[in-house]
Amino acid sequence: MNLVARRCLLSGASVLGATSPTPSPTPVDSATLGQQQLAYFEQLGRSINLAVQHAIVFPLHALMLIAELAIAATVIGLAVRLALPRMQGALRRQPLSGLRIVPPIDSQFRPEAWIACFRTLYVIATPWWKGWLLGQPSIAFECRAQAGRVTVCCWFPADLASTVRSALTATMPGVELIPEENADLMQRPTARARLRLWREPLYPLGTPRNDALASAVAALAENSDALLQISIAPDSGWERRAAHRLEHKSDDRPTTPLAIRLLLKLLMLPFDLFFEIFWNSSTSTSYQSAPPPRPKPMRPRLPEQKAYEACWRVDVRISSWAEHPRIARQNLRSVAAAFNALDGENRLRTTRVWWRPGFDDLLRRRIGPVGGNLVLSAGELAQICHLPLAGVAMDSAHVR
């Protein structure tokens, strides 16, 4: 009896438990729901803000790093450029030999002979590795005007004496070469000037009808005391640089340097991402035909003849001594203006001397070309450095 009663009670309890209603969820008021949505949107805004900050800060950091590296490389390059000539001069410390050149009487300027002379003198060039370490040997031609007369001298390292003598003798038969002592210029000049090319050296100078150098030296002789120094050194890397420049100008490559283009890309990256995400998604993605390509502009023919010639680095230094600086500067202008006769695809123009002690040291020690863009072929060099000079009062040798 008891067992039957227990079974009935258990079955009733299970039925009651199965049919009892489930409790309803706790109702959420509108204030709590608004706070949850506000917290969600605040978190979303912080995430977007953080992503935008990362997208902007990373390019800025990269830009700053690249700018610091570029500044450091520029400073190091400038220091090397300034210190390398002094280091080369210290390593190549050789005595200079001088010759006073007295051309034969009634001689005439023969351009082809002087072109052959400079091509012969190019034998003094050293390999590129030795030239980078010790520098290329240089030759300095000087036209010194004193009391209305002009004296022409040539200065070179002592071990090149036989080469220079042979070249000058073959160029001007009957020339008189008188040994000259290495006399330094004791007094600093009153006015200084340099000549540079108007365009890149790939473009050649013109061929004048008259003698530009004779006109310049004649203007130099009108001064009481003035000096025209033309220092030359072989440019052993000219052909490689010129070929690379011709290839670059003949292609349709961008003219902007690669480093600047990378910096601009990094700066524009956050804005490109922003417009790509929020602007292009809202616009229509309908297909649009590509615009027709623009026709390529007609380019002028590039000068290729000079690129395949052995060229010289040249430094033309003009200095004048006078009581007043204004008079000395006017004298230099008349000398520099005479070289305007060489105007062609390229021109020679006057450049200002900013570091006067350095210029005076180059002038006094007759150091080779330092910096500048004056690179001339043998034909161009023969137009600004030759003898004799018609109409200029100077000594002449008697024909033997």
Side-chain angles (χ1 to χ4, degrees):
M1 186 67 183
N2 293 333
L3 182 60
V4 175
R6 288 180 180 178
R7 289 180 178 177
C8 291
L9 290 175
L10 289 174
S11 60
S14 60
V15 171
L16 289 175
T19 58
S20 60
T22 56
S24 59
T26 305
V28 179
D29 55 351
S30 59
T32 306
L33 183 61
Q35 292 178 357
Q36 293 177 355
Q37 293 179 351
L38 181 61
Y40 171 76
F41 283 112
E42 288 180 352
Q43 185 179 1
L44 181 62
R46 286 194 297 268
S47 301
I48 296 176
N49 188 19
L50 185 62
V52 172
Q53 287 181 358
H54 281 294
I56 295 178
V57 170
F58 176 73
L60 289 179
H61 278 294
L63 178 63
M64 292 297 296
L65 180 60
I66 295 175
E68 292 176 358
L69 292 177
I71 293 174
T74 303
V75 172
I76 293 174
L78 182 60
V80 170
R81 186 175 181 180
L82 293 176
L84 188 60
R86 296 184 177 275
M87 183 186 70
Q88 292 174 350
L91 294 176
R92 183 188 281 276
R93 190 175 299 275
Q94 294 182 3
L96 292 180
S97 296
L99 293 175
R100 183 158 60 93
I101 306 174
V102 182
I105 193 171
D106 296 334
S107 60
Q108 296 180 354
F109 167 47
R110 297 183 303 160
E112 65 279 358
W114 280 94
I115 292 175
C117 174
F118 289 119
R119 288 176 177 172
T120 303
L121 288 176
Y122 202 83
V123 74
I124 68 175
T126 58
W128 66 269
W129 57 270
K130 190 175 181 180
W132 183 87
L133 182 61
L134 302 177
Q136 293 287 350
S138 61
I139 303 173
F141 293 89
E142 290 183 353
C143 297
R144 183 70 182 267
Q146 289 180 326
R149 297 193 64 85
V150 176
T151 303
V152 180
C153 295
C154 178
W155 302 92
F156 45 85
D159 56 349
L160 303 178
S162 60
T163 303
V164 176
R165 278 181 173 271
S166 300
L168 293 178
T169 303
T171 303
M172 295 181 293
V175 66
E176 187 175 353
L177 303 176
I178 304 174
E180 189 79 7
E181 295 182 359
N182 191 2
D184 293 337
L185 304 175
M186 302 302 296
Q187 185 181 2
R188 290 187 176 182
T190 309
R192 308 160 183 84
R194 263 196 176 109
L195 294 183
R196 63 176 179 84
L197 290 176
W198 171 59
R199 303 172 70 179
E200 58 180 325
L202 197 63
Y203 296 89
L205 295 173
T207 303
R209 295 183 178 179
N210 57 347
D211 194 345
L213 179 62
S215 302
V217 177
L220 193 77
E222 296 178 359
N223 306 326
S224 59
D225 196 356
L227 177 67
L228 172 63
Q229 186 181 95
I230 303 174
S231 180
I232 63 175
D235 192 351
S236 57
W238 163 251
E239 292 91 341
R240 175 178 49 82
R241 298 197 315 271
H244 178 74
R245 185 60 179 165
L246 283 176
E247 181 182 0
H248 179 76
K249 292 178 72 69
S250 61
D251 294 343
D252 294 331
R253 299 176 182 177
T255 57
T256 309
L258 178 61
I260 298 179
R261 285 188 277 125
L262 290 177
L263 293 178
L264 294 177
K265 285 289 185 182
L266 289 175
L267 286 176
M268 295 301 296
L269 180 60
F271 302 99
D272 292 341
L273 292 176
F274 177 81
F275 284 105
E276 184 70 24
I277 295 174
F278 296 99
W279 181 263
N280 291 344
S281 60
S282 60
T283 58
S284 175
T285 58
S286 60
Y287 174 76
Q288 296 181 357
S289 60
R294 296 181 179 179
K296 296 182 179 180
M298 296 295 295
R299 296 183 178 180
R301 186 176 180 180
L302 297 175
E304 299 182 357
Q305 181 178 1
K306 185 177 177 180
Y308 303 106
E309 295 184 16
C311 292
W312 296 77
R313 292 188 300 113
V314 185
D315 193 359
V316 180
R317 307 158 186 158
I318 312 173
S319 57
S320 176
W321 290 262
E323 295 180 359
H324 302 285
R326 181 177 58 84
I327 299 177
R329 287 192 295 268
Q330 290 178 355
N331 296 336
L332 292 188
R333 291 193 190 100
S334 61
V335 176
F339 290 100
N340 293 342
L342 296 171
D343 288 359
E345 295 186 55
N346 215 334
R347 307 172 186 175
L348 286 176
R349 289 296 178 260
T350 308
T351 182
R352 186 175 180 180
V353 177
W354 296 99
W355 181 243
R356 296 180 180 180
F359 179 86
D360 296 341
D361 185 62
L362 296 177
L363 197 72
R364 178 178 55 85
R365 298 172 56 191
R366 301 174 177 90
I367 300 178
V370 178
N373 69 332
L374 194 52
V375 179
L376 302 179
S377 62
E380 295 172 314
L381 186 56
Q383 296 294 333
I384 68 169
C385 184
H386 61 261
L387 284 175
L389 303 174
V392 178
M394 57 187 308
D395 296 336
S396 299
H398 296 283
V399 180
R400 298 174 184 175

